[in-house]
């Protein structure tokens, strides 16, 4: 997952979260099975980030079987155990090449969706 727009622009915020459901191996993505989006105009405080991510996960047609994966900076470098306790699915930070590539897909999707909304 990835969140675009955690900065103020023209006096307001527009965060777009993209959750990508994918089957991955250690080095590559096998398939992308869905993308869920959510938006928020709240300031990017941790509780708002968690809320918009939870909404994006809920927009997926099927709940993810594996963990939710994000870059460490997405949640202000809070420990994975703190973030994982905040919403249902297991959570971890990127560890493999395939996970990094999946987060990159989410990044491009979130950025593109935010650009379209603006």
């Amino acid at each position: 997952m990835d969140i675009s727009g955690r900065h103020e622009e023209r006096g307001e915020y527009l965060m777009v979260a993209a959750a990508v459901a994918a089957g991955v191996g250690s080095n590559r993505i096998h398939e992308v099975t869905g993308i869920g989006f959510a938006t928020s105009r709240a300031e990017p405080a941790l509780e708002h980030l968690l809320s918009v991510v939870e909404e994006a996960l809920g927009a997926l047609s099927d709940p993810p079987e594996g963990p939710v994966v994000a870059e460490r900076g997405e949640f202000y470098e809070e420990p994975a155990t703190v973030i994982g306790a905040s919403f249902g699915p297991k959570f971890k930070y990127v560890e493999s090449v395939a996970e990094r590539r999946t987060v990159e897909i989410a990044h491009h999707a979130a950025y593109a969706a935010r650009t379209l909304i603006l």
Side-chain angles (χ1 to χ4, degrees):
M1 62 78 29
D2 187 79
I3 302 169
S4 181
R6 294 184 311 161
H7 55 280
E8 188 176 350
E9 191 169 311
R10 290 178 278 204
E12 63 181 0
Y13 294 99
L14 173 59
M15 292 187 294
V16 176
V20 173
V24 302
S26 59
N27 290 319
R28 67 183 186 93
I29 299 169
H30 297 290
E31 65 179 339
V32 173
T33 58
I35 301 178
F37 292 96
T39 62
S40 173
R41 292 196 179 270
E43 64 182 50
L46 184 58
E47 64 269 13
H48 298 147
L49 295 174
L50 294 169
S51 176
V52 74
V53 167
E54 193 167 35
E55 187 177 339
L57 290 169
L60 291 168
S61 57
D62 293 315
E65 292 180 20
V68 174
V69 180
E71 291 181 344
R72 189 166 287 281
E74 209 63 68
F75 296 105
Y76 304 116
E77 302 200 22
E78 288 287 334
T81 53
V82 170
I83 301 306
S86 299
F87 52 86
K90 184 177 173 185
F91 176 82
K92 70 178 194 170
Y93 288 116
V94 172
E95 295 175 350
S96 71
V97 172
E99 290 170 353
R100 164 98 27 230
R101 289 185 176 150
T102 305
V103 169
E104 288 172 359
I105 291 170
H107 170 77
H108 289 293
Y111 182 80
R114 184 173 183 276
T115 301
L116 286 171
I117 293 169
L118 290 175

